[in-house]
Amino acid sequence: MARKKSRRRSRRFPLRGLLLFLIGLSLPFGLYIVYLDRVVVSQFEGKRFSIPAKVYARPLELFIGKELSPQNLLAELALLNYSQSSQLSQAGQYRQQMGSVDIFIRPFTFWDEAQPAQKISLSFRGDKVSDLRSLEYNSELSLIRLEPQQIGGIYPNKGEDRELVRLEQVPQHLIDALIAIEDKRFYSHHGIDPKAILRAVFSLASGSRVQGGSTITQQLIKNFYLSSERTLQRKLKEMVMAILLEAHYSKEEILETYINEVYFGQDKNRAIHGFGLASQFFFSQSIEQLEAQQSALLVGMLKGPAYYNPRRHPERALQRRNLVLQEMHEQGMLNKPAFDRAKQKPIAVSPLPNIGQSPHPAFMDLVIRQLTRDYREEDLRSEGLRIFSTLDPITQNLAENVMQATLERLERNNKLPANHLEGAAVIVNVLDGEVEAIVGGRKSNYQGFNRALDASRQVGSLFKPAIYLTALSQPERYHLASVLDDSPFIWQERGTEDWQPQNYDKKFHGAVPLWYALAKSYNVSAARLGTELGVANVLHTAKQLGINKNMPPYASSLLGSVELTPYEITQMYHTIASGGFRTPFRAIREVTTSEGAPLSRYPLSVEQVIPALPNYLLVKALELVVTQGTGSALSSILPRGLVVAGKTGTTDGLRDSWFSGFSGDKVATVWVGNDKNEGIKLTGATAALDVWGHIMKDISASSISLQEPENIAFMKINRDSGFIASGSCMNTFDLPVEKNFIPQEARSCSGSDPAKKIKSWFNKILGK
Amino acid sequence: MKKLGLCLLVIAGLSGCSTTYLPDLDSSTAGSGSNTAGANQLMQEADTLNRQGKHALAREKLERALRLEKQNPYIWFSLAKTHEMEGNSGQAKNFALRAKSLSNNAQLTRNIDSFINSL
């Protein structure tokens, strides 16, 4: 009996054991499936992609009467990757004719409205737009914008960049090409293709590595969830997850995600993902505009984005493209004539756009600093924000070119070692404080130390306008021709060493008129004046003008021992240039979501901080710096008749060369120096002024035209002495003065400067 | 008499042709001071938005107009008035002062002064 039982047990045991074994095996497997299902769903349900923020330059506004040369328009079109075509058959093309330019403008969603694609024609009279018409309606247009240049992005940490597209936007021929070459049975299988599995098994059995045959769904799973290792375990996991994905989501959802996911190669540190961005990157076109042969080229690249890169390997890419077209034709997706036409077309990729690494990293730096005050870094890197900046690419490019060319020339002409000089520049619009350009160094396209924002250097005589403005704000005591004392001066202050300022020429000039002391940048008379006024009062004026940094309350601050960046000192000159109105600088106009919904605006704000009259007098004095003082070398650079104002600055040991000044529409500061703080053997007038003048010349700056404030009168100034002229003087010019405080201290026509007396005598003899 | 009639006809015709937009100012302030149809269009749009109570959008339009004609005191004044409508009298005053600093029209200057005094 016992034996019988035992036999029965032994007969039943394998069955029971097998059952238990299967249950034991399937339970963890089942749990694993549930786990994978959660993984698949959770990532697909949430935010599928991190979309970088895009930063745009200002859009170019076009309207009748706009100051714009045809050359600058063409430069803008080149930046936007417009191509020349006589047909204007698609957006992104232009044609040039005698005196006019026709453009097929691309569609673009601005922060305030969407602008459709349209054909326009611009006519020019000189450097002005004289006519603006719609070519489609043959009617006059009052205003239109070109889409802005993308000047950079703020990328997720992995560096992935993509432009999301919806399946409705994708041309049918692109979908056809994908199906034809990547997954013929995409619409009929359930995530995996049995034939592909068999192929994988055979390749494993034959000893070769597991490879190939993945469906689109499997590829998506691999890219989205898994590593790229090629093992059987990973392959099995991929297949299970593909089936799960198909069980939860429609073919359309899977295809759309795949189209946005796929990788198209690197652009420096940026990874190009998705067909939306790829069509921009390779053809400068939106995905909707792609033609069949372009779709085939992109689909063909998926097999090996680097190997089939059409810019590096056009022959390979062409062969692969034609293979895709052939497959489409054979599978009935492309008829014979369309196939023949597509096959004949050249590769025709656009020039490599300069987006990945911003072409203007110094400006981008400023944008990011302003953004990080209001947004979390994570959101900037993932939410696809669209940031509309104030950068003017034409001004920016001109400034960068001038900086590089001038520094090279200065090194050559002054026998300085190559790359001894560094430079920085800030250019801001006078009226609204929009930052138009930032040059962070001579190699402007390299990301690195941003001298415009971070190089705090002594500003030297650039600080002097704060002294003179403090004086001119007391019209009962000072006017432009007040007598200042430029004789030896020692300043003693408890707790500091005696301070004995010197003039640059190591001479003392005795009694000098106020305007002349500023024009010639005399240190001694400025220091005397500043201490008379009170250091604290002068520093207060500087604060009013926009210097937010704490400045040491010592007399040496008066002569610019204060360390400021080019950006900071530009704010001070900006307030002067804009009539005493302080306008905080802005590098950003608007931020929107990826769909174009407004998120934040950076509105214009102004505050009158300096009364109009003393500010006006200071501007006149700074104009005299340029016509008769240390800035007079500008006359050989700038167009005749252009009225500008500014101030040179040079620091001890000729370490820093500065020029800050303004025209009617632009304020600019230029610094030239050396990163090691070594002497550069150049003054403000010989280096920074040179760069400043050429920038202003190239950007076609306009003359200063400040309105005369109320209560202005004019006093006659003796050209020889610079002081107020007596009634009998002939050689005079006018300077403004407050009407209620017209000075009565006229000097004789002979003046006070012996050298000038001799010069005047010679002039009389020579009949000048 | 015939000459006078002709003159009146010409003046009437000219004013009929004019499309110059008058921002929300006294009718005695002749025109928007605008030289471009673009800025005119934006000022009109801003005026419509202001009437709808959409002052932030109106400021957006006016700031865009300002980029086209930065020295136009009428646009600065319109910005001042928009700030005033939003209850921001500080900025309204500053923008009005800026408009005044750019104005070379005596009537406009008087209007700005009375606007500032009313704040």
Side-chain angles (χ1 to χ4, degrees):
Chain A
M1 188 70 184
R3 197 185 288 170
K4 261 188 183 176
K5 263 188 185 172
S6 168
R7 200 178 296 147
R8 202 175 299 147
R9 238 184 240 150
S10 67
R11 245 186 290 150
R12 278 168 54 195
F13 177 71
L15 279 174
R16 206 169 130 198
L18 186 64
L19 197 63
L20 282 172
F21 175 74
L22 283 174
I23 290 170
L25 198 69
S26 63
L27 188 68
F29 186 68
L31 287 173
Y32 185 58
I33 299 283
V34 171
Y35 162 74
L36 286 183
D37 189 64
R38 284 207 175 164
V39 170
V40 165
V41 172
S42 65
Q43 192 161 338
F44 224 74
E45 286 295 306
K47 193 175 68 181
R48 291 179 197 168
F49 302 108
S50 288
I51 311 295
K54 289 187 172 64
V55 182
Y56 296 99
R58 60 93 189 93
L60 183 65
E61 301 268 9
L62 300 172
F63 54 92
I64 297 170
K66 182 178 176 66
E67 302 271 356
L68 177 71
S69 67
Q71 292 75 22
N72 278 349
L73 175 65
L74 295 177
E76 182 91 12
L77 292 174
L79 288 172
L80 295 170
N81 262 334
Y82 274 66
S83 58
Q84 205 160 359
S85 160
S86 58
Q87 301 302 313
L88 286 195
S89 56
Q90 61 182 29
Q93 295 181 335
Y94 74 96
R95 67 179 167 225
Q96 203 180 347
Q97 294 175 325
M98 277 294 270
S100 73
V101 179
D102 299 340
I103 313 170
F104 197 160
I105 294 181
R106 297 189 186 107
F108 192 81
T109 303
F110 292 92
W111 58 91
D112 51 351
E113 62 191 9
Q115 186 177 277
Q118 54 196 299
K119 292 180 190 175
I120 63 159
S121 178
L122 286 119
S123 301
F124 292 87
R125 192 170 299 128
D127 287 347
K128 228 174 194 179
V129 177
S130 58
D131 192 28
L132 174 64
R133 306 192 77 74
S134 159
L135 285 175
E136 277 136 345
Y137 303 105
N138 193 26
S139 57
E140 191 177 290
L141 289 167
S142 54
L143 184 61
I144 202 159
R145 287 176 276 202
L146 289 184
E147 75 274 17
Q149 183 199 3
Q150 192 189 328
I151 56 163
I154 305 167
Y155 299 103
N157 289 330
K158 288 182 283 178
E160 283 184 17
D161 191 11
R162 58 171 50 78
E163 198 156 291
L164 286 187
V165 292
R166 303 216 167 278
L167 199 57
E168 305 89 80
Q169 294 172 259
V170 181
Q172 187 57 43
H173 47 68
L174 196 153
I175 296 170
D176 289 344
L178 261 182
I179 304 293
I181 208 78
E182 292 293 331
D183 190 358
K184 291 184 184 66
R185 287 173 289 278
F186 174 70
Y187 286 109
S188 57
H189 64 61
H190 296 285
I192 53 171
D193 188 344
K195 281 187 182 173
I197 296 169
L198 282 175
R199 195 166 58 227
V201 170
F202 278 129
S203 59
L204 184 71
S206 63
S208 58
R209 287 190 305 168
V210 178
Q211 58 159 9
S214 298
T215 63
I216 280 177
T217 319
Q218 281 175 273
Q219 289 181 45
L220 179 60
I221 290 288
K222 188 183 83 181
N223 296 343
F224 220 55
Y225 302 93
L226 305 174
S227 66
S228 57
E229 61 173 336
R230 292 181 164 188
T231 62
L232 181 63
Q233 191 188 3
R234 212 261 307 136
K235 192 80 184 169
L236 287 170
K237 193 173 172 184
E238 173 191 298
M239 288 191 294
V240 173
M241 289 174 89
I243 294 167
L244 292 170
L245 189 70
E246 292 255 355
H248 284 287
Y249 301 99
S250 68
K251 290 282 182 189
E252 284 72 25
E253 276 179 285
I254 291 167
L255 192 59
E256 184 179 275
T257 312
Y258 178 87
I259 282 168
N260 285 309
E261 167 55 38
V262 283
Y263 173 66
F264 282 94
Q266 284 296 129
D267 173 31
K268 293 173 189 143
N269 54 351
R270 181 175 70 136
I272 309 295
H273 280 266
F275 281 91
L277 183 62
S279 56
Q280 293 286 356
F281 185 70
F282 290 105
F283 301 113
S284 293
Q285 286 174 1
S286 64
I287 194 164
E288 296 97 323
Q289 293 177 308
L290 288 180
E291 293 177 10
Q293 76 282 354
Q294 294 171 317
S295 293
L297 180 91
L298 295 180
V299 169
M301 283 182 69
L302 296 178
K303 192 180 176 194
Y307 190 79
Y308 294 111
N309 184 323
R311 290 198 180 99
R312 284 193 198 149
H313 310 293
E315 275 306 311
R316 271 183 218 164
L318 184 73
Q319 278 180 15
R320 176 81 182 148
R321 182 199 76 173
N322 289 348
L323 178 76
V324 177
L325 289 169
Q326 180 80 35
E327 282 289 327
M328 290 169 76
H329 173 53
E330 284 174 7
Q331 293 176 42
M333 295 161 169
L334 205 59
N335 62 30
K336 183 78 170 79
F339 169 58
D340 289 338
R341 261 198 320 276
K343 219 170 61 168
Q344 294 307 313
K345 298 246 171 115
I347 289 258
V349 285
S350 58
L352 186 66
N354 212 346
I355 297 171
Q357 193 169 332
S358 173
H360 312 300
F363 190 92
M364 275 291 289
D365 191 10
L366 177 63
V367 169
I368 290 169
R369 287 181 201 203
Q370 294 199 353
L371 279 173
T372 45
R373 285 184 218 150
D374 302 327
Y375 292 91
R376 293 186 311 160
E377 191 182 335
E378 188 192 330
D379 293 341
L380 293 172
R381 292 185 185 280
S382 66
E383 295 296 326
L385 302 183
R386 300 165 83 231
I387 294 134
F388 294 92
S389 81
T390 57
L391 178 110
D392 184 324
I394 295 174
T395 304
Q396 177 74 39
N397 287 327
L398 284 171
E400 288 173 3
N401 294 340
V402 166
M403 179 66 76
Q404 188 158 3
T406 312
L407 295 190
E408 280 170 12
R409 175 167 50 76
L410 286 169
E411 283 168 350
R412 245 188 349 263
N413 294 351
N414 293 284
K415 298 191 169 51
L416 291 166
N419 297 316
H420 182 69
L421 299 176
E422 260 302 347
V426 176
I427 302 170
V428 181
N429 197 294
V430 167
L431 279 126
D432 57 15
E434 289 196 338
V435 183
E436 295 190 356
I438 297 273
V439 182
R442 65 189 291 169
K443 289 178 183 165
S444 52
N445 54 349
Y446 281 90
Q447 200 144 17
F449 184 47
N450 190 342
R451 292 162 193 83
L453 305 186
D454 295 325
S456 275
R457 310 290 293 227
Q458 291 195 351
V459 292
S461 300
L462 285 202
F463 196 75
K464 282 178 185 160
I467 303 174
Y468 289 92
L469 184 57
T470 311
L472 293 167
S473 298
Q474 300 173 32
E476 68 286 1
R477 287 178 70 193
Y478 296 98
H479 52 77
L480 285 174
S482 289
V483 183
L484 300 188
D485 181 1
D486 195 71
S487 61
F489 171 65
I490 299 175
W491 178 253
Q492 291 169 322
E493 205 171 349
R494 196 176 292 166
T496 62
E497 281 182 29
D498 286 0
W499 182 53
Q500 198 169 354
Q502 296 283 322
N503 285 322
Y504 178 71
D505 59 6
K506 307 289 180 205
K507 292 176 185 166
F508 297 97
H509 304 275
V512 287
L514 183 147
W515 71 268
Y516 193 76
L518 177 61
K520 291 292 183 187
S521 203
Y522 292 153
N523 290 332
V524 181
S525 40
R528 274 183 182 277
L529 177 63
T531 49
E532 261 173 47
L533 294 163
V535 175
N537 290 332
V538 174
L539 298 187
H540 175 73
T541 302
K543 273 208 182 310
Q544 287 294 96
L545 289 169
I547 304 294
N548 292 320
K549 205 175 244 178
N550 278 335
M551 293 168 277
Y554 306 125
S556 59
S557 291
L558 298 170
L559 296 186
S561 65
V562 176
E563 291 185 351
L564 297 171
T565 66
Y567 188 77
E568 288 167 332
I569 194 73
T570 310
Q571 182 78 64
M572 174 169 138
Y573 278 78
H574 184 269
T575 305
I576 299 165
S578 60
F581 288 85
R582 188 172 62 211
T583 307
F585 289 172
R586 292 176 302 155
I588 306 167
R589 289 179 183 170
E590 308 267 346
V591 179
T592 75
T593 64
S594 54
E595 282 84 29
L599 277 181
S600 38
R601 283 196 70 230
Y602 292 78
L604 169 65
S605 69
V606 293
E607 183 186 359
Q608 184 161 29
V609 289
I610 304 292
L613 204 138
N615 192 83
Y616 182 81
L617 299 181
L618 178 66
V619 171
K620 289 291 151 193
L622 290 170
E623 285 176 16
L624 289 165
V625 171
V626 170
T627 53
Q628 304 194 39
T630 54
S632 56
L634 282 172
S635 64
S636 63
I637 303 171
L638 296 173
R640 206 181 177 82
L642 179 70
V643 182
V644 297
K647 185 73 195 76
T648 51
T650 309
T651 59
D652 289 346
L654 301 179
R655 289 191 177 91
D656 304 280
S657 161
W658 290 93
F659 194 88
S660 192
F662 46 92
S663 63
D665 53 352
K666 314 279 182 204
V667 183
T669 297
V670 171
W671 169 83
V672 176
N674 179 289
D675 284 349
K676 293 176 190 159
N677 206 18
E678 295 168 346
I680 58 167
K681 299 181 189 165
L682 298 166
T683 64
T686 51
L689 174 145
D690 199 337
V691 179
W692 191 94
H694 283 96
I695 290 175
M696 283 298 190
K697 179 184 158 212
D698 286 0
I699 61 177
S700 306
S702 61
S703 279
I704 294 170
S705 61
L706 281 183
Q707 291 290 335
E708 271 178 22
E710 292 163 352
N711 294 329
I712 278 279
F714 286 89
M715 54 186 173
K716 295 252 176 258
I717 302 297
N718 182 341
R719 262 187 209 284
D720 292 329
S721 69
F723 290 109
I724 298 169
S726 63
S728 60
C729 292
M730 301 295 285
N731 192 14
T732 62
F733 66 99
D734 289 345
L735 277 182
V737 61
E738 160 132 26
K739 203 192 295 182
N740 301 323
F741 298 99
I742 297 173
Q744 306 297 323
E745 62 220 34
R747 291 191 170 202
S748 72
C749 295
S750 55
S752 62
D753 185 337
K756 282 184 184 159
K757 274 185 195 168
I758 294 165
K759 191 179 164 197
S760 170
W761 182 76
F762 267 109
N763 283 344
K764 276 177 194 160
I765 287 179
L766 295 169
K768 285 187 183 173
Chain B
M1 195 64 194
K2 263 186 186 176
K3 270 186 183 172
L4 181 65
L6 191 65
C7 283
L8 287 172
L9 202 66
V10 169
I11 291 166
L14 282 175
S15 59
C17 290
S18 169
T19 55
T20 312
Y21 167 65
L22 292 172
D24 194 16
L25 307 171
D26 288 357
S27 55
S28 52
T29 314
S32 66
S34 172
N35 298 315
T36 68
N40 256 334
Q41 180 194 314
L42 291 166
M43 288 176 78
Q44 281 179 32
E45 288 171 13
D47 189 38
T48 307
L49 288 164
N50 267 332
R51 284 177 214 280
Q52 293 167 354
K54 296 174 181 168
H55 305 304
L57 292 176
R59 272 194 288 119
E60 210 167 78
K61 295 283 178 196
L62 289 169
E63 284 184 25
R64 190 176 163 202
L66 213 53
R67 288 183 204 117
L68 273 51
E69 292 186 18
K70 291 194 164 74
Q71 305 259 15
N72 186 332
Y74 292 87
I75 305 176
W76 286 93
F77 192 25
S78 294
L79 271 163
K81 293 183 84 75
T82 306
H83 276 294
E84 192 258 339
M85 287 178 222
E86 288 180 291
N88 187 350
S89 55
Q91 274 298 287
K93 184 181 176 188
N94 277 314
F95 274 88
L97 287 168
R98 191 77 182 98
K100 188 180 169 186
S101 76
L102 295 167
S103 166
N104 54 9
N105 176 312
Q107 183 59 54
L108 175 65
T109 306
R110 277 194 295 277
N111 286 342
I112 296 169
D113 281 337
S114 64
F115 173 80
I116 292 169
N117 291 334
S118 73
L119 288 170

